[in-house]
Amino acid sequence: MPPQPANTGSATTQPATTVLPKSATGISGFDEILLGGLPTGRPSLICGAAGCGKTLFAVTFLVNGATLFGEPGVFMSFEERAEDLAANVASLGCDLDGLVQAGKLAVDHVRVERSEIEETGQYDLEGLFVRLGYAVDSVGAKRIVLDTIESLFSGFSDTAILRAELRRLFAWIKDRGLTAVITGERGDGQLTRHGLEEYISDCVILLDNRVIDQITTRRLRVVKYRGSAHGTNEYPFLIDASGISMLPVTSSGIDRPVSNEVVSTGIAGLDAMLRNGGFYRGSSILLSGVAGTGKTTIASHFIDAACRRGERCMFFAFEESAEEICRNVRSVGLDLRRRVDAGLLRFEAARPSLYGLEMHLARMHRDVLEFRPSVVVIDPISAFRGPIAEVHATLLRMVDFLKSAGVTGMFTSLRISSSLNDGTDQALSSLMDSWIRLMDLEANGERNRVLYLIKSRGSSHSNQVREYRMTDSGIELIDPYVGPDGVLTGTARLSQEARELAAAERRRRDIGQRRRESERRRRALERQINELRATLDAEQDEAHALLLEDEAHDVVLSRDRVAIAERRGGAE
Amino acid sequence: MMQATEPPPEITHRLRLIVAGSTLRSRRAIENLKRVCSQRLAGQSDLEIIDIYQQPQFAREYDVIAAPTLVKLLPLPVRRIVGDLSEEDRLLRALDLAVLPSLGEA
């Protein structure tokens, strides 16, 4: 019973689902472009001009095969001596001698020296076959490298024989099922000097080392890959102390998990401007502003806040050294050096002109994968020089990569002018989830810093322009002065506030005065009313008195009339 | 490297002929070389014929690419003469031997 599931298990782990079997090179990024690796059991051609890294590619393929995939290999060098080769790749971290001693690798240097070779009559290259076969058998090799087999053409004059023998050699490699890498020097108008691509047509990879504006960029292109899909673009790659690294371009899709978690900006006032209290984790933030607006300082706050949460941060500095940044932000009360010592923060400082754009990208990519930060700051992206379209594409890939890795990215950008229509910012804004503009306001003989949020996707945010100050304890957003004269900053804000205060005082005084006045008038009127009322009373009293007098008069009259009548009547 | 114990003092040419199997080409090379040795280097040559099919390690040791290859270890400088050695003039020159105007059977 047990063997059966074991068999099916091993069968499924093999990529034998009718697809072309492939042998991984172990060079991250490269395998992804090749969708798995080089064709197993077939020769592949790696060609390029001198100094492109052909030999290193080949050695890495072998060393990784021996160390990572358990496939011993044979390196047959037609150019470098074994000792030189070992010394050359030792600087890149490959221990060839160790692998040779462990029986995982065989290195054979084939010396082709025209002056030592005399041709008399017919021959073939059976010696080479025997040597190769012997080396392959001695380590049980699955992978072989023929480093610049075209050197044979310099040692032998009969190219007809050579071509026939090369054809036979590649057939032999296929028969033996060896995964082979053949390197070839780039020739005029064709991929290799002697047209090796005619013989090796399964997989052809072209390396290139281009200098544009005095900056070298190594690039790689898969010219053909019979029987397999592959990435078709030119891809940059990097050779440094840790070997070859390439930037995989798998992140071309916009399909990734998103986080609802919010991370603080590290500046209380800025958090308050964002209704969520910060940025979404994994989002991209653009900080743009003219010189001296505190881009690096704000980014440092963001980093400090992340370190306080115990998260790792990575700071790619292109204008200042790590020491300079640490010293400078200490003036606003941030101790980044401590974060570095704690292993939470890593600075990677490099001059933008040190490499080409893609090289920077590849380097950042590698560093991020290595350090695994949750926050990455790139300060500033405007340092990258080159055609706008290329800069844009590079940053797009960087943003894409960071997003797919769930890393929150903060990018600063130096603006030359204060106008909104600044090329790079405009082109980049679509990539960014949040955009903070930092500005200088010059008025009344002073300069004040203000910021505002241009956008913050997925979060309502303040529409206010806020003034901020750099204090000993960090960046501080100041409550805005908003009044009838608009938003004021700096001394203008202070003097306007003083003016306001005076005006208010004046108004208060006026009001008191008015109140007193009205009181006085009320009292006067009341006095008048009282006088009138007294007059009225007096009038009424007089009227009453007259009335009584009249009545009394009436009575007297009637009594008189009666008296008169009586007197008259008495007379009649 | 070479054990210089046995060879008599008159040895001027130390030669190794590397062949790959007993093909027609190999046999022709052996014949050609043996003829030159017997005619021009009688008693002065130390010749060894190695079949790399039998002893593949020698292919690397003598740094052989083509077959057949005649490796001239002595006199210095070391030379590799490839091919079936059918072009006798070139072979003689490569072996630092004078080319005689009318050599052989004529």
Side-chain angles (χ1 to χ4, degrees), chain A residues 357 387-397 424 427-428 430-431:
Chain A
L357 283 171
I388 293 284
E390 246 179 72
V391 174
H392 186 216
T394 306
L395 289 168
L396 174 75
R397 273 154 65 197
T424 40
L428 283 175
S430 63
L431 305 176

Side-chain angles (χ1 to χ4, degrees), chain A residues 78 82 106-112 115-131 134 152 156, chain B residues 20 25 28 52-53 56-57 59-60 62-68 78-87 90-91 94:
Chain A
F78 293 84
V107 181
D108 188 0
H109 173 225
V110 179
R111 232 164 77 94
V112 184
S115 62
E116 291 180 7
I117 295 173
E118 193 72 40
E119 290 171 45
T120 67
Q122 293 180 313
Y123 58 92
D124 55 30
L125 296 186
E126 200 57 31
L128 191 65
F129 282 73
V130 169
R131 276 171 89 161
Y134 180 67
L152 289 176
F156 296 89
Chain B
R25 198 177 285 156
R28 219 162 34 219
I52 47 171
Y53 282 175
Q57 69 277 16
R60 183 174 176 177
Y62 289 112
D63 210 350
V64 169
I65 303 164
V78 176
R79 278 279 150 77
R80 283 172 181 75
I81 302 141
V82 304
D84 59 9
L85 311 179
S86 53
E87 294 171 50
R90 300 186 77 163
L91 172 62

Side-chain angles (χ1 to χ4, degrees), chain A residues 150-207:
Chain A
E150 280 182 315
S151 299
L152 289 176
F153 284 91
S154 71
F156 296 89
S157 59
D158 195 338
T159 53
I161 289 183
L162 280 176
R163 287 183 183 281
E165 288 295 283
L166 284 182
R167 200 179 290 277
R168 192 161 71 93
L169 181 66
F170 299 134
W172 179 86
I173 286 168
K174 281 191 193 180
D175 284 347
R176 300 276 312 241
L178 296 167
T179 309
V181 167
I182 322 287
T183 65
E185 194 101 341
R186 181 116 200 218
D188 282 338
Q190 49 187 6
L191 293 176
T192 56
R193 274 197 197 147
H194 298 277
L196 278 185
E197 59 269 27
E198 286 173 37
Y199 309 108
I200 313 164
S201 46
D202 289 308
C203 181
V204 178
I205 291 151
L206 183 64
L207 304 184

Side-chain angles (χ1 to χ4, degrees), chain A residues 308-326:
Chain A
R308 267 206 304 274
R309 293 191 298 268
E311 295 171 14
R312 284 157 175 265
C313 301
M314 191 141 208
F315 198 122
F316 290 104
F318 292 104
E319 286 186 341
E320 292 172 282
S321 75
E323 290 302 324
E324 282 172 314
I325 292 172
C326 286

Side-chain angles (χ1 to χ4, degrees), chain B residues 15-78:
Chain B
L15 306 170
R16 300 287 180 268
L17 180 62
I18 317 288
V19 297
S22 55
T23 58
L24 180 65
R25 198 177 285 156
S26 301
R27 272 180 278 140
R28 219 162 34 219
I30 295 169
E31 277 168 25
N32 287 335
L33 182 61
K34 282 196 166 155
R35 191 180 64 244
V36 169
C37 283
S38 63
Q39 286 175 358
R40 306 291 306 272
L41 295 166
Q44 300 173 48
S45 65
D46 161 26
L47 173 64
E48 214 173 287
I49 295 165
I50 297 163
D51 183 357
I52 47 171
Y53 282 175
Q54 312 294 325
Q55 298 167 293
Q57 69 277 16
F58 283 109
R60 183 174 176 177
E61 192 174 324
Y62 289 112
D63 210 350
V64 169
I65 303 164
T69 297
L70 174 62
V71 184
K72 183 197 74 165
L73 299 169
L74 276 178
L76 290 170
V78 176

